Amino acid sequence: TYSKSKKIFFITIFFLIIAVYLVILDFTFAKSNSSISRIILWATAYDMIVRDLPHTLFGYGVTEAITLFRNEKFFFGSMEDVPDPHNTLLLFSIQFGVIFTFLIFLIVILNYIKIFFIRKKDYYIRNKLKIFLCISITVGLSVQNMMENILAYPEHFVMAFYFIFLGCLFNVDSLKTENG
């Protein structure tokens, strides 16, 4: 928006600040008990991850991790009927271990780094809006899944949606031959 119209950009920033003040702060204060319960869920997941070396490295498995998490969260004081830690990285770490989680995180980060270094190329400039769309969707879903974990469940459409746009970013070099 800034490159198109500075006036619209500053008006958008102004309304965004008002929205943060009026909506998000009120929502946060109204849901303070939810924030504490999420911290308890994260503490439970963290404890499960660092409990011993084999489970730290390789996890507990897909179904066993959820079953164990449901039992463990009561020891930390969580009485909610929540089956997982509401954080994709923590859920992947208790299910598959930190090796898998680190490798997935590394692949995604290296993908963004590759995009950063090709931003001056001609094919990147011609397809800038498509690439920005892919970056916006994947980064937005990644950030959202630090407080939720709909990305971690393949039965939801979000995982496929995320991987489609991440794959488009991964194959952005194919635009070089496609567009000349």
Side-chain angles (χ1 to χ4, degrees):
T1 309
Y2 185 78
S3 62
K4 299 285 183 188
S5 169
K6 291 177 178 74
K7 182 179 179 181
I8 293 174
F9 176 76
F10 287 116
I11 290 172
T12 305
I13 294 295
F14 176 73
F15 282 120
L16 184 64
I17 291 170
I18 290 174
V20 166
Y21 181 73
L22 295 177
V23 177
I24 296 175
L25 290 178
D26 287 342
F27 180 75
T28 305
F29 289 127
K31 303 228 3 145
S32 62
N33 59 349
S34 176
S35 300
I36 293 169
S37 65
R38 284 185 192 229
I39 292 171
I40 292 171
L41 294 174
W42 294 345
T44 305
Y46 178 76
D47 181 63
M48 288 176 62
I49 292 167
V50 299
R51 186 169 295 156
D52 57 5
L53 188 61
H55 289 122
T56 298
L57 297 177
F58 305 110
Y60 293 90
V62 176
T63 56
E64 184 66 25
I66 299 299
T67 305
L68 188 59
F69 183 82
R70 285 183 178 171
N71 295 331
E72 290 288 320
K73 69 180 180 170
F74 293 116
F75 294 119
F76 281 84
S78 176
M79 298 300 171
E80 287 189 58
D81 187 27
V82 179
D84 48 49
H86 277 41
N87 183 304
T88 300
L89 289 177
L90 290 175
L91 182 62
F92 281 162
S93 294
I94 64 173
Q95 287 181 330
F96 306 112
V98 295
I99 293 173
F100 172 81
T101 306
F102 176 74
L103 289 175
I104 293 296
F105 185 72
L106 184 66
I107 288 168
V108 172
I109 293 300
L110 288 176
N111 202 5
Y112 292 134
I113 290 171
K114 177 184 79 168
I115 297 296
F116 178 78
F117 283 113
I118 66 166
R119 71 185 191 279
K120 300 287 186 201
K121 306 278 186 183
D122 186 44
Y123 62 93
Y124 176 88
I125 294 169
R126 283 193 311 265
N127 295 289
K128 184 188 269 187
L129 293 177
K130 293 176 192 173
I131 294 170
F132 280 177
L133 174 69
C134 294
I135 290 171
S136 298
I137 289 173
T138 55
V139 168
L141 284 172
S142 297
V143 169
Q144 180 199 9
N145 279 279
M146 293 301 111
M147 297 292 178
E148 290 293 333
N149 55 3
I150 57 172
L151 189 60
Y153 291 109
E155 60 267 18
H156 299 298
F157 71 92
V158 178
M159 178 184 270
F161 190 68
Y162 179 79
F163 283 135
I164 287 170
F165 285 99
L166 191 65
C168 290
L169 285 177
F170 186 75
N171 289 323
V172 78
D173 289 333
S174 67
L175 295 171
K176 176 174 28 180
T177 57
E178 183 180 300
N179 293 329

